[in-house]
Amino acid sequence: MDVHIHIESVVELGFCINLRTFGIFIVCYLDNGGAIKEWQNLKSVLKNTVQLLYLSIRAHGFLPFGGTKDLPCHEKIQKLVLRGEWERNICVPTVDMFPTNLTKLRLVSSKLQEDPMPILERLQSLRILCLYGSYVGTVLICSTGGFPNLEKLKLGGLHNLHHWDIKEGAMPILRRLIIDDCYKLHVLPELQKVHNLQELTVEGPSRELWEGMQMQGKDVHKIKHIPSVSIRNYHPQEEDIT
């Protein structure tokens, strides 16, 4: 059974124990206390959904999410979509908040203050990760051995990101990487360390990054092992606009 609802209908779903797909769109703007209350309401509904495979929570304002570890469906959920701001004193992400067997994760508009990679890279089953507008910091670090099964990574709308460090042995089977609208990233990370990367797409880069990926550019040695490289629509800096 698949269900997608607005927040007003959530109390009516307590009897649905065979849900496999559950999506909720919270149309009201929540403050801190409201988000905590709504997460408790959601948990009261989901406590009987032992077959849940896909969970999507989208909200304006603060995201009502505190982790699935105390739900019976924790081991079953494979795909998780979370859209909305994570206010730090409501729910700071930790590894045990996420389902053990999670294979796909999408975080949108989370506005996380701290680098999420040290947490997310420990999700052993994760194959697809999308971060869009989910981090407001300047540096990302992927550690050795991190993301052992990640195959696809998309970073989008990280408007403050200017440095990304990839350690040797990180993301060992990553095949596809998309960098979209990260216009303060002027230099590519050390992608030559990602040995199995087959496809790189860069959308809306800074002019400096665009130039660095051209023939004889400073980033060419990082991408020459990648069979398919696409770069388009460089993002003009203020000094380029007349």
Side-chain angles (χ1 to χ4, degrees):
M1 180 184 295
D2 298 348
V3 173
H4 293 269
I5 63 173
H6 285 73
I7 189 64
E8 292 82 3
S9 306
V10 70
V11 293
E12 302 172 8
L13 293 173
F15 61 89
C16 295
I17 63 175
N18 293 317
L19 285 177
R20 292 182 178 271
T21 297
F22 180 82
I24 185 167
F25 178 55
I26 301 174
V27 296
C28 57
Y29 286 85
L30 300 174
D31 56 15
N32 295 7
I36 294 173
K37 180 179 178 181
E38 291 305 340
W39 176 239
Q40 294 301 322
N41 290 339
L42 284 173
K43 285 203 299 184
S44 69
V45 172
L46 298 173
K47 66 181 181 181
N48 295 319
T49 55
V50 295
Q51 301 299 324
L52 195 64
L53 299 176
Y54 168 71
L55 174 62
S56 173
I57 305 174
R58 304 168 189 263
H60 288 299
F62 294 119
L63 180 75
F65 180 74
T68 60
K69 61 183 178 179
D70 55 350
L71 297 174
C73 57
H74 181 69
E75 300 287 340
K76 294 285 185 69
I77 296 176
Q78 297 177 8
K79 184 175 181 181
L80 181 63
V81 176
L82 301 171
R83 179 168 187 164
E85 183 175 352
W86 290 39
E87 214 288 329
R88 294 185 66 181
N89 63 8
I90 295 179
C91 45
V92 178
T94 58
V95 172
D96 61 359
M97 289 176 63
F98 296 101
T100 307
N101 295 311
L102 192 65
T103 61
K104 299 179 181 180
L105 175 62
R106 180 177 176 85
L107 300 181
V108 181
S109 302
S110 311
K111 297 183 181 179
L112 297 172
Q113 301 290 322
E114 299 180 8
D115 181 0
M117 294 308 196
I119 299 299
L120 301 180
E121 68 184 10
R122 294 164 60 189
L123 298 174
Q124 298 294 304
S125 299
L126 198 62
R127 292 190 296 106
I128 299 174
L129 173 63
C130 175
L131 302 178
Y132 200 92
S134 49
Y135 175 52
V136 298
T138 61
V139 177
L140 288 176
I141 299 177
C142 294
S143 306
T144 300
F147 295 113
N149 289 296
L150 195 67
E151 299 174 4
K152 177 182 176 181
L153 173 62
K154 179 174 182 178
L155 302 180
L158 305 185
H159 294 158
N160 295 326
L161 180 65
H162 68 75
H163 180 73
W164 181 13
D165 186 11
I166 298 178
K167 305 297 185 182
E168 186 71 47
M171 302 181 288
I173 66 170
L174 187 72
R175 296 180 60 83
R176 186 180 182 193
L177 172 62
I178 302 168
I179 304 174
D180 181 13
D181 195 25
C182 298
Y183 53 78
K184 289 187 179 179
L185 187 67
H186 299 311
V187 178
L188 284 177
E190 302 292 323
L191 293 179
Q192 68 271 28
K193 297 178 181 178
V194 187
H195 304 294
N196 289 304
L197 193 58
Q198 299 296 305
E199 181 180 345
L200 170 65
T201 302
V202 181
E203 290 273 4
S206 66
R207 180 172 182 173
E208 185 176 355
L209 181 55
W210 184 85
E211 291 178 345
M213 294 178 65
Q214 304 305 307
M215 187 176 298
Q216 306 301 320
K218 61 185 177 182
D219 282 321
V220 171
H221 70 285
K222 301 175 182 178
I223 59 177
K224 62 183 180 180
H225 68 295
I226 305 174
S228 176
V229 176
S230 174
I231 179 170
R232 47 187 178 265
N233 302 323
Y234 87 80
H235 194 289
Q237 303 300 300
E238 289 185 6
E239 60 268 24
D240 298 326
I241 301 174
T242 58

